[in-house]
Amino acid sequence: MLRFLSGKVVSVFDTLVVLDVNGMGFELLCTGRGAEMCREGENALLVTHLQFSEAGPSLFGFADDRERDLFLKLTTVKGVGGKMAMNILKSAPAERVVSWIAASDTDSLVKIPGVGRKTAERLCFEMHRHFEGLGTDLNLSPEVFASGETHMDIAMEGLRSLGFAQAELLPVFRKLKAGNVSADGDLSPEQWIRLALKELKRN
């Protein structure tokens, strides 16, 4: 199965990319970030997933493995096929999609074209099982869970690995620490992350 493609970019139209790989032209429907990596006439490497359906094969392109992993998890939700999952990742960066789902923010999800209220609710409900083990299910770096760090430190590192900047995380965690908990042992890293995502949504 195709895991990635590397070649010269022939054309880019919105998020549809044509890649010349050793004389063969591959048409890929890409995420927003995947398409941004491509410039006509330049070489590019895209992580890929080849999907077969009744409508025929579809080749999807991603900026990195993290996007591909999230895409595959989205397609496990009832009613969400490859094209809808790709449309979600075309409309918003992966870490934003993760934050909306973790915070059950259906209002943000329904702003994505093609995602209705019921689909948004299913995404939040069915995807939550993937947040139970953040270290593996969200493809966070193994170093995030190294010993010797507080639960809050682990949560901050986890969110940084999802693409959030240190500058936006520090004030959020200071506020949470001052207003919600007095001892680190009160919350697990996963609980810290969920609280932080909800606070980031408000900002």
Side-chain angles (χ1 to χ4, degrees):
M1 196 62 67
L2 291 174
R3 194 66 167 84
F4 69 88
L5 286 172
S6 177
K8 181 176 286 188
V9 178
V10 177
S11 64
V12 181
F13 180 74
D14 193 16
T15 56
L16 190 66
V17 175
V18 177
L19 207 60
D20 180 347
V21 182
N22 296 324
M24 294 184 65
F26 290 86
E27 184 178 87
L28 302 96
L29 183 60
C30 297
T31 62
R33 283 181 174 167
E36 287 173 3
M37 292 169 52
C38 300
R39 298 286 184 274
E40 291 185 11
E42 298 182 4
N43 289 329
L45 186 150
L46 291 168
V47 175
T48 60
H49 176 69
L50 179 60
Q51 185 178 75
F52 293 92
S53 67
E54 293 179 358
S58 297
L59 185 58
F60 300 105
F62 309 90
D64 52 37
D65 286 323
R66 182 169 57 90
E67 283 194 338
R68 183 180 185 274
D69 290 345
L70 180 57
F71 168 86
L72 293 175
K73 288 178 173 60
L74 288 170
T75 59
T76 66
V77 176
K78 182 180 178 182
V80 178
K83 291 188 177 179
M84 180 177 286
M86 182 57 65
N87 188 51
I88 291 170
L89 293 175
K90 170 186 172 181
S91 302
E95 64 270 10
R96 289 301 173 204
V97 175
V98 169
S99 71
W100 292 338
I101 292 171
S104 297
D105 184 2
T106 55
D107 288 338
S108 293
L109 287 168
V110 296
K111 293 177 182 177
I112 298 173
V115 177
R117 180 68 58 180
K118 288 185 178 179
T119 299
E121 290 172 352
R122 279 200 302 269
L123 281 165
C124 293
F125 178 74
E126 296 185 32
M127 284 289 289
H128 264 282
R129 68 182 183 274
H130 294 303
F131 298 108
E132 294 303 318
L134 285 170
T136 55
D137 286 334
L138 290 184
N139 199 28
L140 301 185
S141 304
E143 298 82 15
V144 167
F145 294 92
S147 59
E149 294 181 304
T150 67
H151 290 173
M152 187 178 75
D153 291 335
I154 292 171
M156 287 183 67
E157 186 60 34
L159 288 169
R160 280 198 295 271
S161 76
L162 285 173
F164 290 95
Q166 178 81 352
E168 64 179 331
L169 292 175
L170 282 174
V172 167
F173 277 91
R174 287 196 192 102
K175 180 178 179 180
L176 290 173
K177 189 174 182 180
N180 292 290
V181 292
S182 58
D184 178 70
D186 289 344
L187 294 178
S188 68
E190 291 85 357
Q191 289 171 318
W192 274 108
I193 288 174
R194 290 192 178 98
L195 284 173
L197 287 171
K198 288 179 181 178
E199 190 63 34
L200 285 163
K201 171 185 170 287
R202 296 190 188 103
N203 294 341

